[in-house]
């Protein structure tokens, strides 16, 4: 998955589409945070990353699949 500087999804690979349960075109153009159960940790980490800071540790996120089921992700 590729995001722009605002965290909006620009490109989706087949594995990411399957993980989220959406067709790629349903994901493109939407903020990644809109799929997360608790987007605050992601928003904080993404802001830091945009400012040039590396993540101190991987972060674990819980996303919502299209069917509402949770999907557990790790971002590093």
């Amino acid at each position: 998955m590729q995001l722009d500087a605002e965290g909006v999804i620009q490109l989706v690979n087949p594995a990411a589409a399957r993980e989220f349960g959406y067709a790629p075109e349903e994901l493109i153009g939407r903020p990644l945070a809109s799929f997360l159960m608790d987007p605050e940790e992601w928003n904080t980490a993404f802001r830091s990353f945009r400012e040039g800071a590396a993540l101190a540790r991987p972060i674990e996120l819980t996303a919502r699949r299209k069917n509402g089921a949770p999907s557990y992700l790790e971002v590093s």
Side-chain angles (χ1 to χ4, degrees):
M1 189 174 287
Q2 183 177 14
L3 308 176
D4 68 9
E6 301 303 315
V8 175
I9 300 167
Q10 299 298 308
L11 181 67
V12 178
N13 63 31
R18 278 191 307 276
E19 182 64 31
F20 281 86
Y22 288 88
E25 57 272 10
E26 293 178 288
L27 295 166
I28 293 171
R30 295 180 60 185
L32 178 61
S34 68
F35 297 97
L36 302 176
M37 300 248 191
D38 182 11
E40 193 51 42
E41 186 171 17
W42 163 252
N43 289 335
T44 300
F46 192 67
R47 270 193 306 275
S48 295
F49 179 74
R50 281 192 354 219
E51 293 168 0
L55 290 176
R57 59 175 177 76
I59 58 173
E60 295 178 3
L61 304 170
T62 305
R64 277 184 300 275
R65 292 185 174 118
K66 187 174 185 176
N67 67 5
S71 175
Y72 303 100
L73 311 171
E74 183 176 287
V75 178
S76 57

